[in-house]
Structure formats: structure tokens, C-alpha cells
Amino acid sequence: MKIILASGSPRRRELLAEAGVLFEVIVSPAEEIHDASIPLSELCEKNAELKAEAVAVSNADAAVIGADTLVWIDGEPLGKPKDMDDARAMLRKLGGRSHTVCTGVCVIFPGGVVRRFHDLTAVHFLPLDEARISEYFEKANPLDKAGAYGIQESGELIVDRIEGAFDNVMGLPVAKVVEVLKAGF
């Protein structure tokens, strides 16, 4: 079965390849929803489905994987920052606190069978002052990452500990994805 990852995320490509999955990439043109009135897991799964649907419509012979990762704190979803000022504000908000990372996944199989699921990870940040935030930004680009950080890129500068799957924080709960792909439709 042909597998397509409907994401331009280099982290998702890396995680799926490391799991031994053979796939191609077609970046989804779908627009994400960022509506705090929708429960976190539902919001992430819906965004993942929008991304997968946009690619599956012209690739009916493939299993299409869509994914969406959000950082959630104080009842607010944090997506990718608009600019460096927004990124700095996000890290200030996260500093010294705990938040939830949710990755929603949708796999659309040939024949239109849809499997949606998500994974949650608690992330505990170290206290962050302006110097620490600047040091982190010197080592990692925050602009293409939910919550303005990538745990795999100098995460030790900002993250105290996590409870849950590291790969989920990176953007794809790989074990769950592989399990769904193997189970098929």
C-alpha cells in the first residue's frame, strides 16, 4: 500500500523514516483551525483530518497521514508563532510551568476509511528569563514549531522533564501511527 505523509514537517519525515515506513511527502494545503472553544484533542484530530483530506482527494489509492501538533496552556492553543516577538511571548508564557502537547493524527485509507487518534504529553519547562530565551533562539529556530520550541533542538535549555512520548512532542506519535498502518482498514 502506498503511504503519503501530508506534512512538510522535517521532524515528522524523520520520525516516520526512522520507524522504517516507506512513504512519500505531499504537503497539504489545508488551513488549520485554532479555536480555543474546541477541546484540545478534538481540535488536533480535526486539523489532522483536514490536512489528510486535502491530499487524499487526489490520492485515493494511498493511505494518507495528516497530523497536527498544538501546545495547550491556560485553555489556549499555541500554534506556530507569527514572528520572533510572538515566539518570545510564547516562551515567556511557558517558562517555569507545565503544559500539554497534543498531536492529532488522521489516516485516510484507500476506500475512504478514516482513523483518527491523538496522543498527549505533559511538558514541564524550566524557569526562563530573557537571557535563556535568547540563548535558546541562538540554537533553534522557533518559527516553524508549535509553542515556539522543538524539544529535539537544544530542548535541555528550556525543558525540565516530560511525562509521555518524546516523539509526540516532536510532532508524531510514531508507535500509534505504525500500529494503525499495520492494522489497515
Side-chain angles (χ1 to χ4, degrees):
M1 172 176 53
K2 181 172 148 184
I3 298 172
I4 297 172
L5 177 62
S7 173
S9 165
R11 292 158 300 282
R12 289 189 183 118
R13 285 194 301 260
E14 175 187 326
L15 288 167
L16 210 50
E18 285 176 0
V21 177
L22 298 176
F23 63 97
E24 63 181 85
V25 173
I26 299 176
V27 178
S28 178
E31 290 292 321
E32 297 172 356
I33 300 166
H34 293 282
D35 182 346
S37 70
I38 300 172
L40 174 60
S41 57
E42 185 180 327
L43 179 60
C44 289
E45 286 184 18
K46 181 63 181 163
N47 281 332
E49 188 170 4
L50 290 171
K51 293 174 183 181
E53 284 175 340
V55 172
V57 73
S58 55
N59 294 279
D61 63 330
V64 178
I65 304 166
D68 184 54
T69 302
L70 288 174
V71 168
W72 195 268
I73 190 165
D74 298 334
E76 177 188 359
L78 301 182
K80 296 173 186 170
K82 298 180 296 273
D83 54 32
M84 291 301 285
D85 288 338
D86 194 29
R88 194 170 285 280
M90 285 183 185
L91 287 193
R92 277 190 213 108
K93 180 176 236 177
L94 297 171
R97 301 179 63 201
S98 298
H99 61 275
T100 301
V101 174
C102 179
T103 299
V105 179
C106 177
V107 181
I108 301 178
F109 289 95
V113 174
V114 176
R115 296 282 310 272
R116 285 174 36 165
F117 56 94
H118 67 276
D119 199 17
L120 300 172
T121 302
V123 180
H124 307 274
F125 261 36
L126 296 165
L128 301 178
D129 59 16
E130 292 303 313
R132 177 62 61 103
I133 292 171
S134 294
E135 180 183 2
Y136 177 71
F137 287 168
E138 287 172 13
K139 297 179 189 298
N141 174 13
L143 296 180
D144 68 339
K145 297 167 186 73
Y149 76 94
I151 195 165
Q152 73 286 355
E153 286 182 277
S154 300
E156 70 281 356
L157 292 174
I158 57 175
V159 175
D160 180 35
R161 69 186 189 286
I162 69 167
E163 296 168 29
F166 186 88
D167 60 357
N168 184 58
V169 182
M170 283 181 66
L172 197 66
V174 178
K176 288 184 177 185
V177 171
V178 170
E179 181 181 312
V180 168
L181 289 172
K182 283 181 178 176
F185 46 91

